[in-house]
Amino acid sequence: ANENTGLQSQPPPEEQNYGATAAHLRQGPFVPVSRTAPAKSEYLIAAVLCYANLINFMDWFIVPGILLDIQKYFKLSDGGTGLLHTVFILCYMLAAPIFGYLGDRYNRKIILGAGIFLWSSVTLGSSFISELYYWLFYILRGLVGIGTASYSTIAPTIIADLFEEGKRTTMLSIFYIFIPVGSGLGYVLAAGMADVTGDWHWAFRVTPCMGGVALVLLILLVPHRTQRRTAAHRALSISGTIRVAAEKPGVHRTAKTTWCQDVISLAKNWSFVWSSLGLTAMAFVTGALGMWVPVFLYRAQVVQGIAPPCLHESCNSSNSLIFGGITTGTGILGVIAGAEAARRLRKINNKADPLICATSMFISALCLYIALVVAQTNILSTFIFIALGELFLSVNWAVVTDILLYVVTPRRQSTAIALQILVSHLLGDAGSPYLIGTISHAIQDKNAHSFQWSFWSLQYSFIVCAFIGVCGGAFFLLTSFYIEEDRKEAER
């Protein structure tokens, strides 16, 4: 590879090791080490990161869980309501590359702690805004996005460094289970607190307390320096020894590169490019569904005469509770099923991961289209097909991340994750809630104002999601053409 520039007597600062490992590495080119299972402390660190990831995504979906109340409180149109999530995602994705750069070069524990503190404190502040300052609510949602960007960018790389390849997939799967679980619990928490207290503001006052607990656990249990795996760590000989390339004549070490060089290298990695576009399609669909499905279901029920219109009293949150439960259940099943399918099929097909992702995207798009078609006549069938659509979307979460981690060299992984976050959110869920809301608002403006057209406007808007889901499946199919070559390149 063109990254090798020659022998260096000392490893770069970001590749230096600490503790016993460093002592062993300095002794000589062949040092026996025991290949033991991960220590309990490593599982404990992973547990803390998973707990924080749960809170992270609960904060994401508090707003959609009480969207009807927020829309009525601030007197927002469909377009203005969708803009709430767009502001959040824009700040999240613009901050991600900055944290990716910092995470590859500076102390990751400090960055994680600062992020948790920021998003927790700002979420708490969101609960004290009056209806006159709707613009301040937008600003605070943007700041929450910046705080969560630090966590989502860096936490997966710490888990990847804690575990070898076999355990890594399992632990990442567990970590990513908390995306749909946290998302679903965000709906449940928001709707539940609004129902219990009669005031939607209380929905923003629970997760900050949980965030405080996560911050304390991070400070107490996660080491100040988390060791990064490099090529030297992974080049294990058959006898269980580490080959130290820097001390063996004629063996090249990888040189420290600039951020621009990293980006150029990643842009030439077609597996990374196509899988990132596939993830972008997933994000587009997930963002639109997460924001608008409870409102869509409510409007469908009003048209069918099942639910009364929400005009003056507090809005019924039952759809958010049910959708939250569906998101949680399908998320757990989907991530577990995806990881297990990948584990089994990799044994017979080296392209299994992108093929699993492509198949699940095609099936998900079909299920979502059927849900839209039957929404006006059968609400139960709508729930079932939405659940199936979310199930097949969730299959991909851990698999896509695992693809990135084995087609990208370790020292570029934080940057790669940050760029993937930037692209997937810029072209995905940063715009999809606003786009769906704007299309819906435009359709309503051109027709008579009625509950029927209020429902139809969202129904027609959601057709975009089914089309984007099919495009996502095509991107993952393209990934399968390059994945074997790019994996070998990353291993070299």
Side-chain angles (χ1 to χ4, degrees):
N2 58 4
E3 300 162 4
N4 299 329
T5 58
L7 182 68
Q8 293 181 349
S9 59
Q10 294 293 330
E14 72 274 15
E15 292 188 3
Q16 290 180 1
N17 303 289
Y18 306 96
T21 305
H24 284 309
L25 289 176
R26 287 192 293 267
Q27 289 174 7
F30 299 100
V31 183
V33 293
S34 60
R35 301 186 66 182
T36 58
K40 289 182 179 180
S41 61
E42 293 173 340
Y43 286 112
L44 196 58
I45 293 169
V48 172
L49 296 177
C50 287
Y51 170 67
N53 203 35
L54 174 74
I55 306 165
N56 184 7
F57 281 89
M58 286 177 69
D59 272 337
W60 275 49
F61 288 92
I62 286 176
V63 168
I66 47 175
L67 193 61
L68 286 169
D69 288 302
I70 292 175
Q71 187 175 27
K72 187 175 69 174
Y73 183 78
F74 290 115
K75 299 178 176 63
L76 302 175
S77 66
D78 280 358
T81 305
L83 188 61
L84 269 176
H85 196 67
T86 296
V87 168
F88 172 87
I89 295 296
L90 281 172
C91 293
Y92 174 84
M93 71 179 191
L94 292 174
I98 298 172
F99 288 116
Y101 177 88
L102 296 174
D104 280 339
R105 290 160 177 81
Y106 300 102
N107 190 290
R108 292 181 286 184
K109 177 179 177 177
I110 294 175
I111 298 171
L112 289 182
I116 293 172
F117 177 79
L118 175 62
W119 95 58
S120 297
S121 57
V122 171
T123 298
L124 180 62
S126 301
S127 68
F128 298 102
I129 300 174
S130 76
E131 66 271 22
L132 300 176
Y133 299 97
Y134 69 93
W135 53 269
L136 182 58
F137 193 76
Y138 282 93
I139 292 174
L140 293 185
R141 289 308 293 169
L143 291 176
V144 173
I146 293 174
T148 56
S150 68
Y151 191 84
S152 297
T153 305
I154 295 170
T157 66
I158 294 180
I159 291 180
D161 286 347
L162 289 174
F163 302 94
E164 295 291 348
E165 184 170 352
K167 286 285 185 183
R168 185 185 68 205
T169 302
T170 301
M171 297 310 297
L172 281 172
S173 299
I174 294 172
F175 180 80
Y176 281 103
I177 279 176
F178 287 93
I179 292 179
V181 171
S183 304
L185 289 179
Y187 288 103
V188 172
L189 171 69
M193 289 300 295
D195 284 343
V196 169
T197 63
D199 182 1
W200 62 267
H201 291 87
W202 280 96
F204 291 94
R205 295 169 186 171
V206 177
T207 53
C209 299
M210 299 172 67
V213 174
L215 185 59
V216 171
L217 291 174
L218 182 78
I219 293 170
L220 296 178
L221 300 178
V222 177
H224 187 63
R225 285 172 171 170
T226 51
Q227 178 178 301
R228 302 173 190 270
R229 296 191 188 278
T230 65
H233 297 96
R234 295 182 177 180
L236 295 175
S237 70
I238 296 174
S239 61
T241 62
I242 295 181
R243 297 183 182 273
V244 184
E247 299 183 16
K248 185 174 177 64
V251 177
H252 296 278
R253 286 190 57 88
T254 51
K256 186 176 182 179
T257 56
T258 65
W259 185 81
C260 289
Q261 288 172 323
D262 289 346
V263 172
I264 292 170
S265 177
L266 291 169
K268 296 176 181 178
N269 186 326
W270 286 108
S271 295
F272 170 74
V273 171
W274 291 121
S275 64
S276 296
L277 289 175
L279 182 63
T280 300
M282 285 174 55
F284 184 99
V285 176
T286 303
L289 294 179
M291 192 71 173
W292 287 111
V293 161
V295 176
F296 175 71
L297 293 170
Y298 157 75
R299 292 182 182 179
Q301 290 170 336
V302 170
V303 168
Q304 293 180 36
I306 299 173
C310 174
L311 299 176
H312 304 291
E313 69 284 349
S314 180
C315 300
N316 190 314
S317 301
S318 60
N319 287 321
S320 293
L321 288 170
I322 296 170
F323 185 65
I326 288 173
T327 302
T328 302
T330 57
I332 295 172
L333 290 175
V335 172
I336 292 174
E340 184 62 19
R343 187 183 69 83
R344 291 176 179 272
L345 294 178
R346 281 173 193 162
K347 298 175 183 178
I348 58 176
N349 190 335
N350 292 332
K351 300 179 179 181
D353 287 355
L355 293 177
I356 289 169
C357 293
T359 303
S360 64
M361 286 297 291
F362 289 137
I363 297 175
S364 175
L366 177 62
C367 291
L368 293 175
Y369 180 77
I370 295 173
L372 295 177
V373 172
V374 302
Q376 187 169 343
T377 56
N378 192 322
I379 200 69
L380 178 60
S381 296
T382 307
F383 274 113
I384 291 172
F385 281 104
I386 285 176
L388 290 172
E390 287 218 308
L391 174 66
F392 283 101
L393 275 177
S394 299
V395 163
N396 294 349
W397 284 117
V399 182
V400 172
T401 302
D402 211 27
I403 289 174
L404 181 148
L405 291 172
Y406 65 65
V407 300
V408 175
T409 188
R411 62 191 176 81
R412 288 193 177 123
Q413 286 173 357
S414 286
T415 297
I417 291 175
L419 285 175
Q420 196 172 75
I421 288 173
L422 175 64
V423 172
S424 64
H425 292 298
L426 176 65
L427 303 177
D429 57 347
S432 64
Y434 180 65
L435 178 64
I436 298 300
T438 300
I439 294 173
S440 174
H441 184 68
I443 293 173
Q444 289 182 56
D445 279 350
K446 291 183 178 180
N447 295 278
H449 290 275
S450 65
F451 294 121
Q452 182 67 67
W453 272 109
S454 180
F455 164 74
W456 278 341
S457 64
L458 264 186
Q459 184 186 41
Y460 297 153
S461 302
F462 266 134
I463 299 294
V464 176
C465 291
F467 172 75
I468 295 296
V470 172
C471 292
F475 290 139
F476 283 121
L477 279 181
L478 288 170
T479 305
S480 68
F481 297 149
Y482 300 94
I483 196 158
E484 290 179 291
E485 179 183 343
D486 289 334
R487 181 169 190 165
K488 291 175 183 176
E489 180 67 23
E491 289 172 351
R492 284 198 294 269

